[in-house]
Amino acid sequence: MRTILYIIQKEFLQVFRNKSMLPIIFIVPVFQLIILVNAATYEMKHIRVSVVDLDLSGTSRKLVSKLQGSPFYQIEGTTFSYLKAEDEMKRGNIDMILHIPADFEKKLLKEGHAKVQFVINAINGQSAGLTNAYSTMILLDYNREVLLENATPAMMAGVKTIQTDYSYWYNPKLNYKTYMVPGILVLLITIIGLLLSGMNIVREMEIGTIEQINVTPINKIQFITGKLMPFWIIGLFELAFGLTIGKLLFNIPMEGSLGLIFLSASVYLFVILSFGLLISTITHTQQQAMLVSFFFMVVFILMSGLFTSIESMPLWAQNLDRLNPLMYFIKIMRMVLLKGSGFADISNYFWSMVIYAVCSLSLAIFRYRKVS
Amino acid sequence: MSVPSVHVQQLTKRFKDTLALDDISFDVGRGELFGFIGPDGAGKTSLFRILTTLLLADAGICTVEGFDVVKDYRQIRKISGYMPGKFSLYQDLTVEENLKFFATIFGTTIRENYDLVKEIYQQIEPFKNRKAGKLSGGMKQKLALSCAMIHKPEVLFLDEPTTGVDAVSRLEFWEMLKRLKASGITILVSTPYMDEASLCDRVALMQSGRIMTISTPQEVISNYPLSLLSVKSGDIYTLLGELREYPGVHSVYAFGQSAHVAYQKNDITPESLHFFLKSKGHKQVEIIETVANIEDCFMELMTSPMKE
């Protein structure tokens, strides 16, 4: 026990003596939180629109002004040539064309229906979908107004409308920041855990100190515990630090129990740290370890549900995602922080992580050998 | 030599297609200072790594203080000290922190075994708050030795401890080894420097994974089969080449300022050689009959099997 404690003490000494380590622990998280949370947002603002209004009637202008009044749109210009507008889109200057044909008002009043066209730049499918959804909503709203304006009371009686009202649960203001912060915190402790732990042991191999350690009577368990504990502590500290920043800067909700968050985090960190350890047993230099960690990290992060929803992935990818530790912990973080879920709600994810931790840790310990 | 401190029998180790150790056997007595001399790649490090339980052998039996290197590796790790050829202490920890770290993981303290390392450690103690990475080569080596000694080992394995260290520090280091030996510790040391061989009790000459000979330095010298001339001239570079052409010359090596010419007794007389060199235009030719030192012996031992 004294040996383990001393190894931990030594690791901390080395971590804090390393000049690049303190900024990594304290400054990087703040920056990542501030930059990523503000930048990685799904909210669509400033959709640049070019209006091709060939009708120029009161009715068509009303539609245009409705777009103008919305915070999401920004009218970049009006033109009478559809081709010109299309040219602008090709150059990437606008995101959407609103095309109103010449006989729009006439048709609407006489025949009761008319057509408008939205041409949306769909290079980014996700934002195109959102633009489409916003625009359709505006058009629906506009439709109802037109209908009410032109209808006689007799007609009104015949029209049955269903009023739809929305209320968004768990995130009533649809604030993306509160959604992103928990996920990005997971990202942070993953990077710290995976990179630092993996590289730490490989570094001992690189500078040869592992030889000197290996000839000592210290056993595998003592060595690994001594190696992992410091990063486990740093990881938990990092989470606390990140949560504090999240609370102070973004005022993220903390509906559930913080104890539950830290309990899950401590299990999650075991998964990540043993992953790092495993990587260190198959690599020989810090560079190799870094590259291998990066490979796993990119796959894990992109499939973690941080940026894209897991439910919309193909089924095979969803099944594959069961192997993704990030996915479990991001789910837990969001559920506990935003929804206030209790242990019963997250137990499925929690136990999955426990199994994961046990498996990866035993594999790492099994793989780590003092004798070559 | 009753029970050997280190016993190696028919040890073989193969790395893919190179034979690192080829059927090696030897015994080292308790309290002996045993040297392994050989060029790089002779298999010295592999042998040390097997004896310190870091590497598994393919075949053969090795015991250290009666413990088998495979079965009883735990015991061996407790009683042996190892100083790898590459400096492998924590460069970002201070001298004192390094020593304390190794003391702790061996389950002891600096104070407990201070007497043992005192003599060596005292020399670097003024720098105890300096980071190990900032030490000079000689000081690093003293620190490494202190760390390898702090748990009071019974057997000490020093893999090329003097490589990359200046001549004065090398001498000091060997002085320290002699004093350690006096306290009853068995020391196995490897070195590529042949002159260090004469400082050991016994030496094993290693080459290409084999032990060519094991004997005391005195025996090595007395078994030298050839006669030797030390030849000096103003132009040492052409001298070497021309000496090799001279009939009856067995081998020629540069040795400091002079050339050592080995020959079968009676094949060459100094007078005829002197005449030959004069005719080649050498000035200030000086030829002295000399006794073989350990380096001459090793040069001869190492080249002879190749000529067979």
Side-chain angles (χ1 to χ4, degrees):
Chain A
M1 199 56 213
R2 198 170 80 99
T3 314
I4 295 181
L5 281 179
Y6 196 75
I7 296 178
I8 294 174
Q9 187 192 333
K10 177 219 120 199
E11 288 302 325
F12 269 117
L13 210 61
Q14 283 184 300
V15 165
F16 290 116
R17 203 162 279 176
N18 189 336
K19 284 197 182 69
S20 60
M21 215 60 152
L22 286 180
I24 287 178
I25 293 171
F26 290 101
I27 299 172
V28 170
V30 182
F31 266 84
Q32 279 198 332
L33 272 175
I34 294 172
I35 292 172
L36 282 180
V37 169
N38 282 310
T41 163
Y42 287 153
E43 285 172 42
M44 295 283 302
K45 277 183 188 153
H46 314 298
I47 302 169
R48 294 164 303 170
V49 187
S50 179
V51 177
V52 185
D53 185 357
L54 301 176
D55 196 41
L56 282 180
S57 61
T59 324
S60 70
R61 272 198 204 110
K62 204 178 270 171
L63 178 58
V64 174
S65 65
K66 245 190 134 53
L67 279 189
Q68 225 156 7
S70 152
F72 300 123
Y73 296 91
Q74 186 181 325
I75 309 284
E76 284 291 305
T78 41
T79 164
F80 294 110
S81 154
Y82 175 74
L83 287 176
K84 226 175 181 176
E86 212 176 62
D87 218 40
E88 285 290 296
M89 180 170 300
K90 276 182 189 153
R91 284 197 201 131
N93 293 336
I94 55 167
D95 307 308
M96 187 178 98
I97 302 170
L98 169 61
H99 184 201
I100 305 172
D103 48 359
F104 177 70
E105 191 183 44
K106 216 193 291 173
K107 268 197 165 168
L108 189 68
L109 293 180
K110 281 198 175 147
E111 299 170 23
H113 58 84
K115 282 178 176 161
V116 288
Q117 187 185 25
F118 293 123
V119 181
I120 299 164
N121 178 357
I123 282 181
N124 180 344
Q126 199 153 27
S127 69
L130 274 167
T131 309
N132 185 31
Y134 286 151
S135 310
T136 315
M137 288 277 277
I138 286 179
L139 199 65
L140 271 173
D141 202 36
Y142 171 77
N143 221 350
R144 218 177 40 232
E145 277 173 33
V146 170
L147 215 62
L148 287 172
E149 246 173 60
N150 300 309
T152 57
M155 280 168 77
M156 281 294 279
V159 180
K160 292 192 178 75
T161 51
I162 298 170
Q163 180 97 29
T164 346
D165 276 326
Y166 302 94
S167 103
Y168 298 101
W169 278 23
Y170 309 127
N171 190 357
K173 289 180 192 154
L174 286 184
N175 184 351
Y176 251 92
K177 286 170 191 163
T178 51
Y179 183 64
M180 290 310 281
V181 170
I184 286 169
L185 282 177
V186 174
L187 204 71
L188 259 174
I189 64 169
T190 307
I191 294 172
I192 296 274
L194 197 61
L195 280 184
L196 297 193
S197 69
M199 282 174 46
N200 185 279
I201 293 178
V202 179
R203 184 161 155 256
E204 297 231 0
M205 287 185 203
E206 245 178 29
I207 56 178
T209 44
I210 202 116
E211 290 276 271
Q212 200 88 60
I213 296 279
N214 284 352
V215 290
T216 66
I218 177 174
N219 64 40
K220 215 150 88 161
I221 306 286
Q222 284 176 323
F223 180 71
I224 290 177
T225 317
K227 277 285 176 195
L228 294 191
M229 284 315 270
F231 297 105
W232 188 76
I233 294 168
I234 290 174
L236 287 179
F237 170 80
E238 195 76 44
L239 179 65
F241 185 57
L243 280 172
T244 315
I245 293 174
K247 186 77 200 166
L248 291 178
L249 288 184
F250 304 106
N251 196 25
I252 52 160
M254 292 182 183
E255 298 290 337
S257 119
L258 279 178
L260 194 55
I261 289 281
F262 279 94
L263 178 69
S264 313
S266 49
V267 176
Y268 174 72
L269 273 168
F270 269 116
V271 179
I272 290 302
L273 292 175
S274 37
F275 240 88
L277 185 63
L278 203 58
I279 289 172
S280 75
T281 60
I282 55 170
T283 52
H284 300 287
T285 63
Q286 291 189 68
Q287 262 170 339
Q288 288 173 352
M290 188 115 106
L291 278 173
V292 177
S293 315
F294 243 86
F295 168 76
F296 280 107
M297 216 139 66
V298 168
V299 176
F300 280 167
I301 289 172
L302 288 182
M303 289 185 72
S304 66
L306 177 60
F307 299 113
T308 51
S309 112
I310 295 165
E311 286 74 17
S312 54
M313 287 183 197
L315 203 62
W316 62 264
Q318 287 191 36
N319 284 330
L320 198 68
D321 224 16
R322 281 164 209 246
L323 289 174
N324 186 350
L326 253 90
M327 184 271 281
Y328 295 112
F329 194 46
I330 288 184
K331 279 234 156 113
I332 291 177
M333 283 282 275
R334 282 180 176 160
M335 282 170 80
V336 175
L337 285 179
L338 306 184
K339 273 166 93 171
S341 303
F343 185 76
D345 306 305
I346 63 158
S347 66
N348 225 336
Y349 301 124
F350 182 83
W351 292 118
S352 303
M353 285 201 318
V354 171
I355 294 169
Y356 210 129
V358 171
C359 292
S360 50
L361 197 60
S362 8
L363 188 64
I365 292 176
F366 171 75
R367 281 272 325 175
Y368 175 78
R369 262 159 224 277
K370 284 177 80 175
V371 179
S372 56
Chain B
M1 203 160 68
S2 49
V3 185
S5 178
V6 176
H7 170 70
V8 172
Q9 199 181 325
Q10 292 173 325
L11 181 69
T12 301
K13 175 71 191 175
R14 186 181 284 281
F15 292 112
K16 289 206 176 98
D17 45 350
T18 49
L19 203 55
L21 293 173
D22 184 5
D23 196 24
I24 280 183
S25 303
F26 65 89
D27 283 312
V28 179
R30 196 154 295 157
E32 198 175 4
L33 177 53
F34 195 92
F36 290 89
I37 318 286
D40 291 341
K44 303 185 299 277
T45 300
S46 299
L47 175 66
F48 276 42
R49 285 171 56 90
I50 288 172
L51 289 172
T52 49
T53 75
L54 289 173
L55 193 67
L56 291 173
D58 295 330
I61 302 163
C62 298
T63 61
V64 175
E65 291 293 329
F67 296 115
D68 185 84
V69 287
V70 182
K71 241 181 27 239
D72 310 314
Y73 70 94
R74 277 172 203 280
Q75 270 77 18
I76 293 184
R77 284 178 184 170
K78 276 182 204 147
I79 56 153
S80 59
Y82 176 46
M83 185 172 152
K86 194 178 149 201
F87 179 72
S88 49
L89 299 175
Y90 294 98
Q91 316 244 359
D92 49 354
L93 293 185
T94 65
V95 169
E96 198 181 18
E97 282 161 353
N98 264 301
L99 191 62
K100 197 170 165 218
F101 176 71
F102 284 101
T104 313
I105 58 175
F106 274 108
T108 177
T109 55
I110 297 182
R111 199 180 304 162
E112 205 172 309
N113 288 325
Y114 188 75
D115 285 346
L116 201 65
V117 295
K118 191 172 138 194
E119 213 175 325
I120 310 158
Y121 187 61
Q122 266 177 348
Q123 301 175 39
I124 47 173
E125 219 167 7
F127 312 101
K128 68 179 182 184
N129 291 322
R130 194 183 283 192
K131 288 193 189 132
K134 297 252 160 68
L135 293 176
S136 71
M139 287 202 281
K140 274 183 182 169
Q141 171 210 43
K142 278 168 198 156
L143 175 60
L145 185 62
S146 304
C147 288
M149 297 274 310
I150 192 67
H151 60 292
K152 208 173 179 185
E154 288 169 41
V155 188
L156 204 51
F157 296 93
L158 310 172
D159 190 8
E160 302 202 359
T162 51
T163 302
V165 174
D166 69 81
V168 177
S169 297
R170 267 170 60 187
L171 247 137
E172 275 178 20
F173 192 79
W174 278 93
E175 284 301 313
M176 284 188 300
L177 291 192
K178 278 194 179 153
R179 284 196 292 268
L180 282 180
K181 180 187 112 87
S183 65
I185 296 175
T186 309
I187 303 173
L188 277 76
V189 57
S190 78
T191 174
Y193 300 123
M194 289 182 265
D195 55 327
E196 290 179 352
S198 53
L199 304 167
C200 302
D201 292 337
R202 282 195 304 154
V203 284
L205 176 71
M206 283 188 81
Q207 196 175 28
S208 332
R210 262 180 285 172
I211 290 183
M212 321 292 294
T213 163
I214 300 177
S215 46
T216 63
Q218 294 75 30
E219 277 169 357
V220 171
I221 293 169
S222 60
N223 286 343
Y224 188 66
L226 302 167
S227 303
L228 211 59
L229 290 175
S230 172
V231 183
K232 266 189 187 173
S233 136
D235 184 3
I236 184 94
Y237 299 105
T238 54
L239 179 69
L240 287 173
E242 278 157 5
L243 281 173
R244 284 195 183 108
E245 285 166 20
Y246 190 69
V249 167
H250 179 77
S251 56
V252 180
Y253 297 105
F255 199 91
Q257 292 299 310
S258 57
H260 276 193
V261 179
Y263 62 99
Q264 296 290 346
K265 215 174 177 73
N266 305 327
D267 277 7
I268 296 175
T269 57
E271 294 73 29
S272 61
L273 188 62
H274 196 275
F275 184 75
F276 168 74
L277 290 174
K278 281 266 181 194
S279 74
K280 287 279 179 185
H282 282 280
K283 283 168 191 141
Q284 301 155 315
V285 178
E286 205 178 291
I287 300 179
I288 312 162
E289 277 190 64
T290 180
V291 204
N293 62 22
I294 199 117
E295 286 185 53
D296 295 308
C297 304
F298 283 133
M299 290 311 255
E300 173 56 25
L301 281 168
M302 285 202 294
T303 47
S304 52
M306 286 176 190
K307 285 177 180 166
E308 275 168 16

